[in-house]
Amino acid sequence: MIVNGGMQGVGGLEFATFRLKEGVTEQALIALSQRVEAEFLVQQQALIVHCLLRGADGIYADMVMAPSQALAETYCQQWLHNEVAGEYLALLETSSVNMSFWSRIN
């Protein structure tokens, strides 16, 4: 998990839910999430929060908080051009991915 600064700076977030591909373990997901943070997300200077969540029935969520929704969307696009982020994305069951972007209104 990455936490930089306080929640007062959050203006937008990306929230993606997904299932893992058949045969992929939660341990593999966690290991790659930690690599994504250490090798990729740590370079995003304005990133406020990144965390991986587990819900019910095999659903996971990846959440990024940033100063604006536009910046959260920019970070998301950068995942497509980063090698370790690509390895992480390869663990996900593509048809299960549900990604949304949010702007803070209060």
Side-chain angles (χ1 to χ4, degrees):
M1 182 166 76
I2 294 175
V3 178
N4 295 317
M7 295 297 288
Q8 67 275 9
V10 174
L13 68 91
E14 173 265 333
F15 193 81
T17 60
F18 57 89
R19 292 185 182 277
L20 297 175
K21 284 184 178 175
E22 186 74 32
V24 174
T25 66
E26 183 175 286
Q27 291 75 21
L29 177 68
I30 292 168
L32 266 170
S33 179
Q34 291 169 342
R35 283 190 56 212
V36 164
E37 290 176 349
E39 298 175 27
F40 168 58
L41 291 176
V42 72
Q43 299 169 12
Q44 312 308 318
Q45 297 300 318
L47 179 81
I48 298 169
V49 172
H50 173 260
C51 65
L52 179 62
L53 307 163
R54 178 184 52 214
D57 301 325
I59 300 287
Y60 292 88
D62 194 284
M63 182 180 66
V64 169
M65 293 183 177
S68 68
Q69 179 180 338
L71 196 50
E73 291 179 24
T74 297
Y75 292 156
C76 184
Q77 285 299 311
Q78 292 173 354
W79 280 66
L80 302 175
H81 307 287
N82 180 277
E83 185 177 333
V84 71
E87 292 177 35
Y88 178 95
L89 295 174
L91 301 179
L92 314 185
E93 181 57 55
T94 306
S95 65
S96 73
V97 175
N98 183 10
M99 184 177 303
S100 58
F101 295 93
W102 302 76
S103 288
R104 182 177 172 180
I105 58 171
N106 185 7

